[in-house]
Amino acid sequence: MVKDNVSVYDNFFNKEDYNTILKKVEEPNWSWGHTSYSPDHPHYNQCTPFWHMDLRDDEFFTGHLLNKIQELVPQYDLLNVYANGHTYGLDGTFHQDAYDDKGRTFLLYANKKWLKQWGGMTSFYKDNNEVHSLYPSPNKGILFPGMIFHRASSLSRLFIGLRVTIAWKLQRK
């Protein structure tokens, strides 16, 4: 599916790679307090903090998996890769990942299962005050221009886990 330059890929990684991803995000490498904006940004005080796992030093993410993403977009290099974690009450803030058309984000949902009643969509803000949202599902990848405002939408109280996404921030060579 492609809508407004947002491309969706169901079951993006093979089963073995996806199972490795799930094991890695279960490791105790999470830190609390990441936000969508840096402390010097004017909207920083409007951000809800959430969980974060830095993956820049993990060759599985920066090499092996990146190579598979670059099959889609060979003209892009990696700037950063990390995992975000949201629980009930940790709505994201609409933000951009890039400030020019050279940036792309590949976002992967990394949960073993997902039920629609749990919410947790990724919402994309359109210029005409509309929001387009995509439900998480295991191993779903989303490729989109980093300039599109987006956020993690709220999770239902029925969800008692951690909604995990992995973001590869890319820039055109």
Side-chain angles (χ1 to χ4, degrees):
M1 176 197 128
V2 177
K3 184 175 179 74
D4 300 322
N5 296 318
V6 176
S7 303
V8 178
Y9 304 91
D10 291 317
N11 299 308
F12 185 76
F13 293 110
N14 66 42
K15 189 174 183 175
E16 180 181 339
D17 286 343
Y18 191 66
N19 285 334
T20 302
I21 291 167
L22 293 177
K23 287 177 187 168
K24 286 186 175 272
V25 299
E26 288 178 359
E27 294 175 1
N29 297 324
W30 290 95
S31 63
W32 169 255
H34 187 75
T35 62
S36 297
Y37 289 114
S38 63
D40 60 341
H41 193 279
H43 298 300
Y44 176 74
N45 64 352
Q46 300 169 16
C47 294
T48 303
F50 50 88
W51 294 96
H52 179 81
M53 181 187 289
D54 188 350
L55 300 169
R56 288 177 294 184
D57 293 331
D58 191 322
E59 195 281 328
F60 180 70
F61 291 92
T62 62
H64 180 73
L65 297 178
L66 176 63
N67 288 336
K68 294 182 182 203
I69 295 167
Q70 287 177 320
E71 290 176 14
L72 291 176
V73 285
Q75 68 275 30
Y76 287 87
D77 286 328
L78 181 67
L79 291 176
N80 199 0
V81 59
Y82 54 84
N84 287 329
H86 289 82
T87 59
Y88 174 74
L90 301 182
D91 299 36
T93 303
F94 275 109
H95 67 283
Q96 296 170 290
D97 290 342
Y99 299 103
D100 62 36
D101 64 356
K102 294 179 183 177
R104 293 290 181 274
T105 298
F106 185 83
L107 187 71
L108 179 78
Y109 295 107
N111 287 87
K112 288 181 184 175
K113 72 174 191 172
W114 199 265
L115 302 178
K116 289 196 183 206
Q117 63 260 34
W118 292 344
M121 292 85 62
T122 300
S123 296
F124 297 92
Y125 180 80
K126 296 170 66 172
D127 291 332
N128 57 0
N129 289 325
E130 291 181 19
V131 174
H132 172 71
S133 296
L134 296 169
Y135 274 99
S137 64
N139 201 12
K140 178 192 283 184
I142 304 171
L143 180 67
F144 60 93
M147 289 180 58
I148 297 177
F149 280 91
H150 62 284
R151 73 178 185 130
S153 294
S154 63
L155 291 153
S156 161
R157 191 69 183 128
L158 298 170
F159 181 67
I160 58 172
L162 187 67
R163 173 197 180 267
V164 178
T165 58
I166 300 170
W168 284 265
K169 302 290 182 71
L170 309 168
Q171 184 169 357
R172 190 170 37 231
K173 296 177 185 179

